[in-house]
């Protein structure tokens, strides 16, 4: 585990996997809108995180949504993203990779 367990630390790892064409927030659209509205009211608008890291005690869970090149095997790309993330996470961590688009 050498990468910070943050969205900004893990996003480049997801983007570096062959076949990934884009990365999106895995959070529901309504939650993203609420987060962006709150950030705008505070004067610090920030885009939604592409990788969400949740930690509760010793349990770490990471989720992301990706777009996949149609020439690549979708399952292989998703598995590659999961493997790349798990390599950066503590033992016992879980990863969820959703495929949002194939193009």
């Amino acid at each position: 585990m050498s990468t910070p367990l943050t969205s900004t630390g893990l996003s480049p790892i997801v983007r570096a996997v062959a076949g990934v064409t884009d990365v999106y927030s895995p959070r529901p659209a309504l939650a993203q809108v609420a987060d962006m509205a709150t950030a705008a009211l505070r004067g610090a608008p920030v885009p939604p995180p592409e990788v969400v890291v949740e930690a509760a005690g010793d349990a770490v869970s990471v989720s992301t949504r990706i777009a996949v090149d149609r020439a690549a095997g979708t399952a292989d790309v998703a598995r590659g993203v999961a493997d790349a993330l798990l390599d950066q996470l503590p033992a016992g961590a879980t990863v969820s990779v959703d495929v949002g688009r194939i193009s």
Side-chain angles (χ1 to χ4, degrees), residues 10-99:
L10 295 173
S11 289
I13 291 167
V14 174
R15 289 183 173 279
V17 173
V20 172
T21 59
D22 210 348
V23 183
Y24 312 101
S25 175
R27 297 192 46 171
L30 286 176
Q32 290 180 45
V33 170
D35 291 346
M36 289 189 298
T38 300
L41 289 173
R42 292 184 179 149
V46 294
E50 296 176 342
V51 179
V52 173
V53 179
E54 296 176 343
D58 292 338
V60 175
S61 135
V62 174
S63 57
T64 190
R65 178 174 289 134
I66 61 173
V68 176
D69 184 327
R70 71 181 185 168
T74 302
D76 292 335
V77 174
R79 189 176 303 109
V81 168
D83 289 344
L85 288 171
L86 286 168
D87 287 345
Q88 302 300 317
L89 300 172
T94 60
V95 171
S96 173
V97 179
D98 294 330
V99 176

